[in-house]
Amino acid sequence: MKIFSNPSNSSTISGFLLLGFPCPREGQILLFVLFSAVYLLTLMGNSSIICAVRWDQRLHTPMYILLANFSFLEIWYVTSTVPNMLANFLSDTKVISFSGCFLQFYFFFSLGSTECFFLAVMAFDRYLAICRPLHYPTLITGHLCNILVGSCWVLGFLWFLIPIVFISQMTFCGSRIIDHFLCDPGPLLALTCPRAPVIELTISTLSSLPLFIPFLFIVGSYALVLRAVLRVPSAAGRRKAFSTCGSHLAVVSLFYGSVMVMYVRPTSKHKAGMQKIVTLFYSVITPLINPVIYSLRNKDMKHAMKKLLGT
């Protein structure tokens, strides 16, 4: 276990203090109730999509199989942070162990990277469906779909092995307080001593790549989609083509619009309050909203959800 060194105090500290959202006890209980409800709704919404795809034969297509896997990912993504946040609301000490902090760091960012890869694969699927409609059934087979899904998971969890090894080997001294609700690399690196600019730059670069590479792939895919759609002679045809991409574009915008602000430079000095709000948005609110976006903007999914709910 890593030892925290303090020049003025040689005592060993067994963990970090996650400040979370400091407020009176009544406020902590209110936040606990609020985020418990959000967490349960997120689990229910994403589980409903998984069940709808599983039980409706019409949704056994690559697009919906990817969506079901994406919903499964969202469940684990929100679970990597919210249960610990809920426990902190009711805790007097708000301590997270050294190993617990780094496990949370690894799973949260590995799942986040996996989400980026999934969004890129889903954009590729939409590109083939719109730009190569006649060849789409032969190009995106069930076997290829499974390979793409597996690759997203493997790449996502392999990517952050190097950053977690680097950070776990660093020495932390002075304050053990992390002004956040999760073990974020920015506040963690701020507690290291001496500071290691080369390692911080390496971690920053490795954190940015799984954001930028899939994002550029998504932009390229939709540029080709836009070019193809604009060539469609009828307005109805163009609307139909755009409608198949609308849900995915909305999810991409919500996720990337917030996550890039924080993790392109994880050591940058964002105000702690803003950092928490933005992180909360893409890690908790976005997984809650995604099932609503896909359900409201997709007729097949709406029909399957109604069938699932018996309405």
Side-chain angles (χ1 to χ4, degrees), residues 128-176:
L128 290 177
I130 293 173
C131 299
R132 300 287 187 271
L134 298 179
H135 299 93
Y136 178 74
T138 56
L139 290 173
I140 301 293
T141 62
H143 179 65
L144 178 59
C145 192
N146 290 333
I147 291 175
L148 291 173
V149 167
S151 299
C152 289
W153 284 99
V154 172
L155 279 174
F157 275 81
L158 287 178
W159 198 280
F160 267 89
L161 284 175
I162 295 176
I164 194 63
V165 169
F166 278 162
I167 293 183
S168 64
Q169 297 304 310
M170 299 177 78
T171 301
F172 298 86
C173 62
S175 172
R176 59 172 175 161

Side-chain angles (χ1 to χ4, degrees), residues 70 72-74 76-78 80-81 101-119 149-165 182-185 206-207 210-211 214 255 259 263 282-283:
F70 185 75
F72 179 73
L73 167 65
E74 292 284 63
W76 288 107
Y77 189 47
V78 74
S80 68
T81 57
C101 183
F102 288 117
L103 279 173
Q104 186 188 61
F105 171 92
Y106 175 69
F107 280 103
F108 178 73
F109 287 97
S110 294
L111 290 165
S113 297
T114 303
E115 181 156 343
C116 293
F117 294 130
F118 258 107
L119 290 172
V149 167
S151 299
C152 289
W153 284 99
V154 172
L155 279 174
F157 275 81
L158 287 178
W159 198 280
F160 267 89
L161 284 175
I162 295 176
I164 194 63
V165 169
L182 58 82
C183 290
D184 186 82
L206 290 173
S207 300
L211 294 175
F255 181 76
V259 75
Y263 295 110
Y282 74 78
S283 66

Side-chain angles (χ1 to χ4, degrees), residues 261-275:
V261 173
M262 304 309 303
Y263 295 110
V264 171
R265 291 186 61 203
T267 58
S268 60
K269 295 181 179 179
H270 300 286
K271 289 184 178 180
M274 180 60 67
Q275 197 173 38

Side-chain angles (χ1 to χ4, degrees), residues 1-7 9-16 98-99 102 167-176 191-194:
M1 181 176 287
K2 195 72 171 177
I3 302 297
F4 287 73
S5 304
N6 190 323
N9 187 350
S10 60
S11 62
T12 301
I13 299 173
S14 60
F16 296 102
F98 185 86
S99 57
F102 288 117
I167 293 183
S168 64
Q169 297 304 310
M170 299 177 78
T171 301
F172 298 86
C173 62
S175 172
R176 59 172 175 161
L191 299 179
T192 60
C193 87

